[in-house]
Amino acid sequence: MKYPIGIQSFDRIIEDGFLYVDKTDLIYQLVTTGKIYFLSRPRRFGKSLLVSTLKCYFQGRKELFRGLAIDKLETEWAEYPVFHIDFSKISFLNPDVLEEKLEEQISAWEQVYGKGEFAFDFGSRFAYILKQAHKQFGKRCVVLIEAYDKPVLDTLGTGLKIKRDTNELLLETHHKQLLGSFYSILKSSDEDLHFVFITGMTKFTQATPFSGFNNFNDISMTEQYETLCGITQEELEHYFAEPIEALAKKYQTTFEGMKTMLKHCYDGYHFSDNLTDVYNPFSLLNAFSMKDLRDYWFASGTPTYLIRLLNHTQEDLNEMTGRYYSPEEFIDYKADVEKPLPMIYQSGYLTVKDYDPIYDRFLLDFPNNEVKSGFVTLVAADYLKTKGSMSSWIIDVVESLKKGNTEQLRTLFVSFLADIPYTMRSKRENERYFHYTFYLIFRLISVYTVYTEKEQSQGRSDCIVETDDYIYIFEFKRDGSADEALAQIEAKGYARPYEADKRKLYKIGVNFSSETGTIEEWKTVG
């Protein structure tokens, strides 16, 4: 079986015999029931392949679709003038790159369809091209815009500026304005358009095409197209039974056991209130090809703009994850550096986990273990800025928890905190810093069940860790005492739910010093 890893061209996948998960029934429904669409999906989720498939379809390349679902549905296979714009493969941190990209693209089209005498800016030139193509072809045009938001995402929150004439403005603002004038023609050129499909990771209400262009159909959260990208459970079992069996043998488990492991690693995305499970296709294909379960999706790219946003707003993952939100808080929004939640959601680092129809609210959390471990590791490394390797330290912590070695656990935490640079002093003087530090650390320990700020009948315990043989209840104080922390565990009854549990229970009171930035007292009862 040939896996199309890194191959985003539909024609190459078909012609070279790579595996293709057939989505053409949904594509036929898409192209025959609407005209202008927007789709938001995380990176490496199949958007480029979808656009390539649409391109081949509108070019009338019937031979490529032989044997697929659409082969029985389509009868005309008409050819249309297709205009494909792809921003996904370029960095837009250089002030002139966006203009160069648009100039290169439009000049190439003008070589074919001519240049308007009174068309000077990018928008009017593109409008003229569409009109001429409509006349020459005798058919309206198809416009496919891929990663429309990347020029803005690349520069969002960077503070980079650009000079134009005597004015200086933020590069992200410049990109929004430039793209705005370009995309605005999609409204004025309606008579020349047959089909428009726009993809991206985020939906910018002020970054266009959504300013002044409001007649599109946003299918990002519709039940009808929730599985247009990605792989469903049914598709997994239909197309990949053989590689699942091979992985099961390697990991010495059953076929059903391997399906469970794959689900924990790569499943968990939901794109409507129907909550149909969707797997990350990039990770699945890599796991089958490499015959190894690793964090492929997260390792394929670093979400630096998300880290910038989190640092700017000083929001933490503990406050964002595992909470219900109304749709306007993460779907319909103004994208800016003050609101990182929508960016995190639409970039794929959070997903819908539950829906409350009474209050029209969605529960957001990490989609799976791959994303959780990767994103938390990245955030922790940036927030704490430790000098040593976090991965080896985490393994030592896991082993200490496994063996019930609380003294070794204390030593590890003291050394870890002491390794954090002195430049973090301003954060250390904030009580939130200590709580967030331990939240990040314990979220990294995905081997065991970990609760942070777990709600109980008389309050919230700071942290509870459950292993096969031990239960650890932590309470943290800053510039107080370990005795005060232990007293709170007793007073609030945090251990009460575990009275009938046969596992050994440890109550651990920890006091931090804002002066030294590390643990001053650590007392264990158990």
Side-chain angles (χ1 to χ4, degrees):
M1 188 177 294
K2 295 173 66 177
Y3 302 106
I5 297 170
I7 301 175
Q8 302 166 340
S9 301
F10 174 73
D11 49 353
R12 183 183 171 191
I13 288 175
I14 298 301
E15 290 171 346
D16 292 351
F18 287 96
L19 174 73
Y20 175 69
V21 176
D22 191 356
K23 302 283 187 179
T24 58
D25 56 337
L26 287 175
I27 289 174
Y28 181 77
Q29 182 176 312
L30 187 78
V31 300
T32 56
T33 59
K35 177 179 177 179
I36 301 173
Y37 294 96
F38 169 73
L39 176 69
S40 170
R41 285 292 183 271
R43 62 183 175 82
R44 295 190 178 275
F45 228 88
K47 298 188 299 295
S48 294
L49 176 56
L50 173 60
V51 169
S52 176
T53 308
L54 286 167
K55 183 177 181 179
C56 291
Y57 168 81
F58 282 113
Q59 289 173 335
R61 301 178 67 179
K62 178 181 179 179
E63 74 282 359
L64 294 175
F65 296 87
R66 191 171 292 115
L68 299 177
I70 201 172
D71 193 23
K72 298 178 181 179
L73 300 171
E74 183 58 80
T75 57
E76 295 184 8
W77 292 101
E79 182 181 358
Y80 295 84
V82 178
F83 297 89
H84 177 207
I85 310 167
D86 183 6
F87 293 112
S88 66
K89 299 175 179 65
I90 305 171
S91 170
F92 292 93
L93 293 174
N94 185 305
D96 299 317
V97 169
L98 181 55
E99 282 104 326
E100 291 171 357
K101 169 65 177 177
L102 290 173
E103 180 62 42
E104 176 187 1
Q105 189 71 78
I106 289 176
S107 294
W109 291 332
E110 286 174 335
Q111 293 296 315
V112 179
Y113 298 105
K115 186 173 182 179
E117 183 179 355
F118 302 103
F120 301 106
D121 61 85
F122 292 129
S124 61
R125 290 166 66 186
F126 190 29
Y128 180 83
I129 291 166
L130 293 173
K131 188 169 291 294
Q132 291 304 110
H134 184 186
K135 289 180 181 178
Q136 293 177 30
F137 250 86
K139 289 187 178 295
R140 291 184 173 88
C141 303
V142 171
V143 175
L144 308 173
I145 301 176
E146 192 173 342
Y148 91 97
D149 52 352
K150 192 171 187 297
V152 179
L153 280 179
D154 280 358
T155 55
L156 190 66
T158 61
L160 293 174
K161 295 183 178 181
I162 184 173
K163 282 190 175 181
R164 285 294 181 264
D165 299 324
T166 58
N167 298 321
E168 185 178 65
L169 68 160
L170 288 173
L171 188 55
E172 67 178 87
T173 302
H174 170 262
H175 285 173
K176 288 180 182 181
Q177 293 174 352
L178 187 60
L179 290 173
S181 64
F182 178 70
Y183 291 141
S184 64
I185 62 95
L186 296 176
K187 183 175 183 179
S188 60
S189 299
D190 183 67
E191 283 296 315
D192 301 310
L193 295 172
H194 173 72
F195 185 85
V196 177
F197 193 79
I198 303 166
T199 74
M201 285 195 296
T202 58
K203 175 182 167 185
F204 293 86
T205 57
Q206 292 193 349
T208 61
F210 309 113
S211 57
F213 179 55
N214 53 15
N215 58 334
F216 64 92
N217 182 8
D218 184 356
I219 59 173
S220 303
M221 285 286 288
T222 60
E223 181 179 335
Q224 190 176 9
Y225 296 112
E226 62 182 340
T227 62
L228 187 57
C229 294
I231 296 173
T232 66
Q233 186 68 37
E234 182 180 355
E235 290 166 341
L236 175 72
E237 296 178 21
H238 174 74
Y239 288 96
F240 301 100
E242 183 180 328
I244 292 174
E245 190 65 54
L247 274 175
K249 289 181 180 178
K250 175 182 177 179
Y251 283 88
Q252 298 181 343
T253 185
T254 63
F255 185 85
E256 292 299 318
M258 179 47 60
K259 286 199 304 182
T260 299
M261 292 174 69
L262 289 169
K263 180 175 283 291
H264 287 317
C265 287
Y266 310 126
D267 191 15
Y269 290 92
H270 304 109
F271 299 110
S272 84
D273 56 18
N274 192 45
L275 299 179
T276 300
D277 284 339
V278 180
Y279 286 79
N280 183 315
F282 181 79
S283 293
L284 267 185
L285 293 177
N286 272 281
F288 292 141
S289 177
M290 301 296 291
K291 295 182 176 59
D292 198 4
L293 303 183
R294 298 180 187 173
D295 295 345
Y296 297 102
W297 180 78
F298 198 90
S300 68
T302 301
T304 53
Y305 63 90
L306 293 182
I307 298 300
R308 289 200 303 268
L309 295 182
L310 285 170
N311 285 339
H312 177 84
T313 59
Q314 294 189 337
E315 292 196 50
D316 62 52
L317 299 179
N318 190 29
E319 296 166 353
M320 289 185 177
T321 56
R323 287 180 51 196
Y324 280 90
Y325 296 90
S326 59
E328 59 268 18
E329 292 182 271
F330 68 99
I331 299 174
D332 300 316
Y333 62 94
K334 173 187 174 184
D336 58 33
V337 296
E338 303 299 333
K339 297 181 179 180
L341 174 69
M343 307 287 287
I344 295 173
Y345 162 74
Q346 295 207 3
S347 299
Y349 301 100
L350 296 179
T351 194
V352 172
K353 285 299 185 181
D354 193 19
Y355 176 65
D356 178 1
I358 298 177
Y359 297 103
D360 188 29
R361 299 185 309 161
F362 294 85
L363 175 66
L364 298 186
D365 211 333
F366 295 110
N368 50 49
N369 288 341
E370 176 190 28
V371 175
K372 183 183 78 169
S373 62
F375 194 41
V376 174
T377 299
L378 185 68
V379 171
D382 181 80
Y383 185 81
L384 301 173
K385 293 181 171 59
T386 54
K387 301 171 187 175
S389 169
M390 289 192 66
S391 57
S392 60
W393 183 85
I394 289 295
I395 292 173
D396 291 338
V397 171
V398 168
E399 284 299 305
S400 297
L401 290 167
K402 179 181 179 180
K403 298 173 182 177
N405 191 339
T406 58
E407 181 57 29
Q408 176 65 18
L409 201 59
R410 183 194 67 80
T411 302
L412 286 166
F413 275 104
V414 169
S415 63
F416 179 86
L417 291 169
D419 193 42
I420 297 174
Y422 181 78
T423 52
M424 302 291 286
R425 176 65 179 268
S426 61
K427 286 185 178 180
R428 289 176 176 178
E429 293 173 352
N430 188 323
E431 187 168 358
R432 173 186 176 275
Y433 165 77
F434 292 105
H435 283 276
Y436 192 36
T437 294
F438 271 79
Y439 165 79
L440 290 172
I441 289 170
F442 282 112
R443 286 307 293 255
L444 288 169
I445 305 170
S446 57
V447 176
Y448 301 127
T449 302
V450 178
Y451 303 99
T452 57
E453 295 190 359
K454 184 179 181 181
E455 290 192 15
Q456 295 179 292
S457 59
Q458 293 181 267
R460 291 186 178 186
S461 56
D462 282 341
C463 182
I464 298 177
V465 181
E466 298 181 12
T467 74
D468 292 339
D469 301 312
Y470 301 95
I471 298 167
Y472 303 86
I473 300 178
F474 293 89
E475 188 65 29
F476 307 122
K477 295 295 178 181
R478 169 181 167 270
D479 295 333
S481 72
D483 287 330
E484 289 175 357
L486 289 171
Q488 183 169 329
I489 294 175
E490 292 298 330
K492 298 293 185 180
Y494 294 153
R496 201 168 297 138
Y498 300 97
E499 287 179 350
D501 200 298
K502 294 182 180 179
R503 290 173 291 183
K504 184 174 179 57
L505 187 143
Y506 287 110
K507 303 169 188 176
I508 302 176
V510 182
N511 180 58
F512 300 100
S513 167
S514 59
E515 182 178 349
T516 63
T518 190
I519 294 170
E520 189 174 69
E521 280 189 293
W522 174 296
K523 289 190 176 181
T524 303
V525 175

